[in-house]
Amino acid sequence: MDKSDGCCSTHLIDGDGVFNVAGVENFIKEVKLAECGLSYAIVSIMGPQSSGKSTLLNHLFGTNFREMDAYKGRSQTTKGIWMARCVGIEPCTLVMDLEGTDGRERGEDDTTFEKQSALFALAVSDIVLINMWCHDIGREQAANKPLLKTVFQVMMRLFSPRKTTLMFVIRDKTRTPLENLEPVLREDIQKIWDSVPKPQAHEETPLGEFFNVEVVALSSYEEKEEQFKEQVASLRQRFFHSIAPGGLAGDRRGVVPASGFSFSAQHMWEVIKENRDLDLPAHKVMVATVRCEEIAHEKYDSFTANEEWCQLKEAVQSHPVGGFGKKLSTILNTCLSEYDAEATFFDEGVRSTKRKQLEEKLLQFVQPAYQSMLGRIRSDTLERFKEAFDKELKGGIGFAMAAHECTVSFMSQFDEECTDAVIDQAKWDSSRVRDKLKRDVDAHIAEIRTAKLAEVTTLYETKLNDALAGPVEGLLDGAADDTWPAIRKLLQRETDTALSGFSAALSGFEMDEQTRENMVLRLKDYARGVVEAKAKEEAGRVLIRMKDRFSMLFSYDSDSMPRVWIGKENIRAITKTARSASLKLLSVMAAIRLEDERDSIENTLTVALSDGGASTKKGIASLDPLASSTWNEPRVYWKQPPYLHKLGVSASKTLITPIQCKSLWKQFNTETEYIVTQAIAVQEASRRNNNWLPPPWAVVALLILGFNEFMTLLRNPLYLGVIFVAFLLVKALWVQLDISGEFRNGALPGLLSLSTKFLPTVTNLLRRLAEAGQRKANNEPQHNTTSASSEENRGEYSSPSMHDRMK
């Protein structure tokens, strides 16, 4: 590429017909042709070799084409096709300098390049300058005749929708006026046109349908240089604004946009070199297709690298982006607008098709981000729905109302956010995401509904359990005739209370009547199950309960005071009463009686077990009524009481079978027999211990035989004092040693215990007496000391006695 004097030129096609792709690309960038759109013009010049074509162009357009050196002789100067930008002409005008025709270098028969270059010039150019000598006009064998014939022949191979301006430049004009030369030239041109073979469709087509013919004349450059320059300057003015309507290049139909000129020219030359017909409309579409694809690809790459888009894409991965649709629509619209601006001059059909393809490709590229945005909106809306729904429920609003209000509110918010995320260029439907959100919301509501119903159910089940388990256990523990009626009344009262609250709690869920009734029925069954479970639990501990009740009634009196077996109690009667109460407990625990139905379990157990089976011993029944595994078997035996004819308790309500009752009663008697035996033994020992005085006959014998000794004591009172002191000492020892208590368990154990306690007790008693006497001697006179000591000794003797009595 050559740049000098403000002009830029390049070798477009060399002499061997090779298209200079790199040179043309650099040339277009240098002259900034791509920015021109359709506002540019192409001028080419053809003519015989050494006819001054380059000289004319350099003066006419300010180019720097190489000119022939006249001093070196006439020879080929321009090889191939050169291109340059015209200096100082608006709009942008490019001029092509074609290799001269009829040159000796290529020879007489080598006219292929001449025809190819002529066809290329006609296909590319808006204006074709035909340089010819003035003295050739009117001649039959003039040098311009083969050139014109070549131009018209190749014109038949073009299918162009526009007219090309043919400007005949007559060089070295003579004195003959142009008005006289122009008709002759036009006549010669018409003859050549008529003589050129044409397709059948254009046999009658006039020359004016294909060409605008212009004729100008210039003086000799060598002889009249100044005049030549003036005429050239005048002609130059005609190239200003040549693309305006009525200008030399005013017909803009089929013009290739400037950005596609390089590719268009290259493709044209390839078609021409392959000797194929050049369909310019089809070529225009092809160029538009290629260029629009290139532009679309560039805009796609530009969009993918767009910083704002990258930030938007990255942000939407972590959280919903406000104004997503507007922002992305703006970026897409900018990209498509740039495409429109660059492709605006290409074929409309191709441009629209490629634009649509670009738009689809861009939308396909951004769709994952859009889907991600919808996903974020969905997940964010779902989370906010869960929080709001939970808050509404905690606020005391009914479940169904809270679910409805939150669903409507947040689905509306989702719709608004989806509308905000809508891309103007896309017609995407967010209904699938909305449906998924609705399913998620419904699933969450169903989950919470299930959890809340379970929570409410659990709450009232807990209340029923607390209200029934303890009282039922207490009632069963204190088994009596009214135990099961009291349990039935308790069950009915607590069940009604719980069902009332439960029904009120269920009203907020707006469930169907059938479901509500089923849940109420299940709660009623649960309440019944609590009672039955507690009854079964207590039935499993019935033996312990029986023994506890027996121990309570046997070991404690009616005032709940422990019994002391001193010999006056009727152990047999107490044992019978305690066992009857235990038998009552067993009969109560034998079956569940939640229906107001009578049964004969108690009577059967009383007859069969009371008093060791007295009824059997008396011969009332020939068989054991408890020899069964159920209470509902009818048993009629000889002389059997009427209440034993049918027991009437189903197996499902049985807690303890008859045979189990018999076994339990036997075990109960065995385990309580020891308590009774111990009580009897204690009572007997108490009787023996309390009878420690000698028999009456021994007392009479002592009085008779000891009469003399008694009289001796009466005659000598000193013996009485000694005896009295001895009595006090013995009484003190009796109290301290608790002799009566020690002999309560027998003589031998009492003697052994007293032998170990006698000496310590005597020592302790003497020490206390000595200490008391010493304190009185130090604090009071002697006569007071003696009396105080006596009183203290009496206090010491009485206190242990009182203490032991309290014990």
Side-chain angles (χ1 to χ4, degrees):
M1 186 171 61
D2 183 20
K3 292 188 289 183
S4 61
D5 300 329
C7 177
C8 181
S9 63
T10 187
H11 203 176
L12 184 63
I13 301 172
D14 63 17
D16 297 327
V18 178
F19 194 91
N20 184 12
V21 178
V24 174
E25 292 291 342
N26 291 334
F27 172 79
I28 289 176
K29 291 180 181 178
E30 185 66 28
V31 301
K32 300 180 180 179
L33 181 63
E35 301 175 3
C36 297
L38 295 179
S39 299
Y40 76 102
I42 304 294
V43 181
S44 61
I45 188 168
M46 62 177 68
Q49 180 177 305
S50 302
S51 60
K53 299 187 299 299
S54 299
T55 302
L56 174 61
L57 294 178
N58 290 341
H59 285 82
L60 183 59
F61 299 115
T63 57
N64 58 356
F65 293 122
R66 182 184 174 190
E67 301 178 7
M68 182 190 72
D69 189 351
Y71 296 100
K72 293 182 179 180
R74 302 177 67 85
S75 61
Q76 188 180 50
T77 304
T78 303
K79 294 181 179 181
I81 302 175
W82 284 78
M83 174 177 280
R85 176 174 180 174
C86 301
V87 179
I89 294 181
E90 292 296 334
C92 178
T93 302
L94 304 182
V95 60
M96 293 192 301
D97 187 6
L98 275 63
E99 180 180 317
T101 60
D102 197 22
R104 65 181 180 84
E105 286 78 6
R106 291 192 180 271
E108 183 178 354
D109 298 327
D110 189 6
T111 60
T112 301
F113 187 78
E114 292 180 6
K115 293 181 180 180
Q116 290 176 346
S117 59
L119 180 58
F120 180 75
L122 286 173
V124 173
S125 304
D126 300 295
I127 306 167
V128 178
L129 302 179
I130 300 178
N131 197 45
M132 60 186 305
W133 300 108
C134 181
H135 54 262
D136 287 336
I137 297 176
R139 294 181 180 179
E140 188 63 27
Q141 301 297 328
N144 65 324
K145 294 284 183 77
L147 176 60
L148 288 175
K149 188 174 291 187
T150 297
V151 170
F152 293 153
Q153 285 176 349
V154 299
M155 189 62 198
M156 294 299 99
R157 296 175 58 190
L158 289 176
F159 300 93
S160 175
R162 63 172 178 161
K163 289 183 179 181
T164 301
T165 298
L166 289 181
M167 180 175 284
F168 291 87
V169 181
I170 302 174
R171 303 291 296 278
D172 294 351
K173 176 180 172 296
T174 60
R175 294 180 180 180
T176 304
L178 180 60
E179 292 78 6
N180 296 334
L181 293 175
E182 185 174 351
V184 177
L185 179 60
R186 289 184 178 274
E187 184 180 352
D188 291 341
I189 293 171
Q190 187 62 44
K191 288 180 181 180
I192 297 171
W193 173 256
D194 293 337
S195 65
V196 172
K198 305 179 187 64
Q200 185 176 0
H202 295 288
E203 287 182 353
E204 303 299 329
T205 303
L207 178 65
E209 289 291 328
F210 291 93
F211 299 104
N212 290 322
V213 179
E214 298 282 343
V215 180
V216 295
L218 300 176
S219 299
S220 173
Y221 174 68
E222 294 180 352
E223 297 176 0
K224 300 177 181 179
E225 182 177 353
E226 293 300 327
Q227 190 176 359
F228 172 82
K229 291 181 179 181
E230 291 176 1
Q231 293 171 347
V232 167
S234 177
L235 178 60
R236 175 183 172 87
Q237 296 301 318
R238 298 189 64 183
F239 288 91
F240 281 91
H241 307 292
S242 59
I243 64 173
L248 293 176
D251 191 351
R252 308 306 293 165
R253 292 176 298 170
V255 177
V256 176
S259 61
F261 174 78
S262 174
F263 176 78
S264 174
Q266 181 182 356
H267 183 264
M268 283 184 178
W269 182 248
E270 289 176 357
V271 173
I272 291 170
K273 283 195 68 176
E274 292 172 3
N275 199 28
R276 291 181 290 163
D277 291 340
L278 186 59
D279 189 346
L280 290 184
H283 172 76
K284 178 185 177 184
V285 171
M286 184 275 299
V287 173
T289 301
V290 174
R291 278 299 299 149
C292 288
E293 286 180 354
E294 290 178 352
I295 295 171
H297 184 71
E298 291 173 1
K299 298 310 167 187
Y300 179 81
D301 291 342
S302 174
F303 178 85
T304 57
N306 184 279
E307 183 178 356
E308 187 176 357
W309 153 249
C310 292
Q311 293 176 352
L312 193 63
K313 180 181 178 182
E314 182 178 356
V316 81
Q317 300 301 321
S318 58
H319 58 85
V321 178
F324 174 84
K326 184 177 181 180
K327 292 177 181 178
L328 188 52
S329 298
T330 301
I331 300 173
L332 288 171
N333 188 58
T334 301
C335 181
L336 294 174
S337 298
E338 291 176 356
Y339 168 86
D340 293 337
E342 293 190 26
T344 185
F345 301 112
F346 290 102
D347 181 80
E348 182 178 358
V350 175
R351 182 179 72 245
S352 300
T353 301
K354 297 303 176 182
R355 188 187 194 279
K356 185 176 181 181
Q357 292 176 358
L358 173 62
E359 185 175 351
E360 291 175 354
K361 190 175 180 181
L362 289 173
L363 292 176
Q364 185 178 4
F365 178 72
V366 303
Q367 189 173 23
Y370 174 75
Q371 293 297 334
S372 179
M373 178 65 183
L374 292 184
R376 291 294 175 185
I377 294 174
R378 182 190 64 80
S379 59
D380 184 66
T381 303
L382 182 60
E383 289 302 319
R384 288 187 285 112
F385 167 81
K386 291 179 180 179
E387 294 176 1
F389 186 45
D390 186 58
K391 185 176 180 181
E392 291 290 323
L393 292 179
K394 290 180 179 179
I397 299 179
F399 184 90
M401 181 180 295
H404 176 72
E405 291 180 356
C406 289
T407 300
V408 171
S409 174
F410 283 91
M411 291 305 296
S412 177
Q413 292 181 26
F414 175 81
D415 293 338
E416 292 176 1
E417 293 182 17
C418 283
T419 302
D420 183 62
V422 168
I423 300 172
D424 296 340
Q425 293 80 1
K427 303 299 180 184
W428 291 328
D429 185 11
S430 61
S431 59
R432 288 187 178 181
V433 181
R434 191 183 193 280
D435 293 342
K436 189 175 188 312
L437 174 63
K438 187 64 169 62
R439 290 195 300 271
D440 291 342
V441 167
D442 292 342
H444 180 71
I445 292 174
E447 180 183 355
I448 298 299
R449 175 191 176 94
T450 302
K452 289 295 182 182
L453 287 175
E455 183 180 331
V456 171
T457 303
T458 302
L459 173 65
Y460 282 93
E461 287 178 352
T462 303
K463 288 183 177 180
L464 281 173
N465 189 70
D466 295 341
L468 293 174
V472 168
E473 181 178 352
L475 289 171
L476 291 175
D477 187 34
D481 292 335
D482 62 342
T483 295
W484 282 107
I487 291 176
R488 289 195 295 269
K489 185 176 181 181
L490 172 68
L491 175 62
Q492 184 65 37
R493 183 179 70 250
E494 297 299 334
T495 302
D496 291 344
T497 302
L499 290 181
S500 176
F502 187 65
S503 299
L506 293 182
S507 63
F509 290 88
E510 294 185 2
M511 60 180 63
D512 59 274
E513 190 63 26
Q514 184 62 40
T515 303
R516 181 180 176 278
E517 290 180 359
N518 290 338
M519 294 188 69
V520 169
L521 183 60
R522 283 197 295 270
L523 187 63
K524 291 177 68 176
D525 292 341
Y526 177 82
R528 186 185 182 95
V530 170
V531 175
E532 293 179 353
K534 180 54 67 173
K536 291 178 181 179
E537 180 183 344
E538 293 301 312
R541 298 198 294 261
V542 66
L543 182 59
I544 299 174
R545 297 289 190 190
M546 290 169 65
K547 290 190 294 184
D548 290 343
R549 173 169 287 196
F550 178 85
S551 297
M552 177 63 68
L553 296 176
F554 185 80
S555 301
Y556 294 88
D557 58 17
S558 58
D559 296 328
S560 299
M561 297 297 292
R563 293 184 188 275
V564 180
W565 307 106
I566 59 176
K568 298 179 180 180
E569 295 82 6
N570 188 351
I571 294 179
R572 181 179 182 84
I574 294 172
T575 301
K576 185 176 181 180
T577 302
R579 284 181 175 174
S580 297
S582 299
L583 186 61
K584 181 70 175 181
L585 175 63
L586 180 61
S587 66
V588 170
M589 297 296 298
I592 298 173
R593 302 174 179 86
L594 293 180
E595 285 77 22
D596 190 11
E597 297 176 356
R598 300 181 63 84
D599 60 65
S600 57
I601 294 177
E602 183 178 356
N603 294 332
T604 301
L605 291 176
T606 301
V607 171
L609 300 178
S610 180
D611 294 329
S615 60
T616 304
K617 293 177 182 179
K618 294 177 182 179
I620 295 179
S622 59
L623 294 177
D624 185 358
L626 298 181
S628 174
S629 59
T630 59
W631 294 105
N632 61 350
E633 295 180 1
R635 295 176 177 273
V636 180
Y637 302 112
W638 178 68
K639 294 183 179 181
Q640 190 175 23
Y643 54 79
L644 292 179
H645 289 177
K646 188 173 182 180
L647 306 179
V649 178
S650 65
S652 61
K653 300 177 183 178
T654 300
L655 296 176
I656 306 173
T657 62
I659 194 65
Q660 289 174 339
C661 287
K662 183 176 181 180
S663 176
L664 287 170
W665 185 253
K666 183 178 180 181
Q667 185 177 356
F668 166 76
N669 284 333
T670 301
E671 294 182 7
T672 57
E673 185 177 357
Y674 175 76
I675 301 175
V676 177
T677 303
Q678 285 293 101
I680 294 173
V682 170
Q683 190 180 53
E684 291 296 328
S686 178
R687 286 175 179 174
R688 289 194 301 269
N689 293 335
N690 290 334
N691 193 18
W692 56 274
L693 292 176
W697 62 267
V699 174
V700 172
L702 286 173
L703 290 174
I704 295 173
L705 295 176
F707 180 76
N708 294 330
E709 286 77 9
F710 178 71
M711 294 303 295
T712 302
L713 291 175
L714 291 177
R715 294 187 187 100
N716 192 355
L718 181 61
Y719 289 145
L720 290 176
V722 173
I723 291 172
F724 179 72
V725 171
F727 172 75
L728 292 178
L729 291 174
V730 172
K731 182 64 176 178
L733 288 173
W734 183 277
V735 174
Q736 290 291 327
L737 294 174
D738 190 18
I739 294 175
S740 60
E742 294 294 340
F743 281 98
R744 189 175 301 163
N745 295 324
L748 182 60
L751 291 174
L752 292 175
S753 178
L754 290 175
S755 65
T756 58
K757 295 167 60 178
F758 180 75
L759 289 178
T761 302
V762 171
T763 305
N764 186 42
L765 181 61
L766 294 175
R767 181 176 56 81
R768 290 183 182 179
L769 290 173
E771 291 176 354
Q774 183 67 30
R775 285 197 299 272
K776 293 298 182 179
N778 294 334
N779 296 329
E780 296 179 2
Q782 186 63 35
H783 63 278
N784 292 332
T785 301
T786 304
S787 61
S789 177
S790 300
E791 292 178 1
E792 182 178 356
N793 289 335
R794 286 194 297 272
E796 289 289 338
Y797 299 150
S798 62
S799 294
S801 176
M802 292 298 293
H803 176 70
D804 290 339
R805 289 194 186 96
M806 289 300 294
K807 292 171 73 174

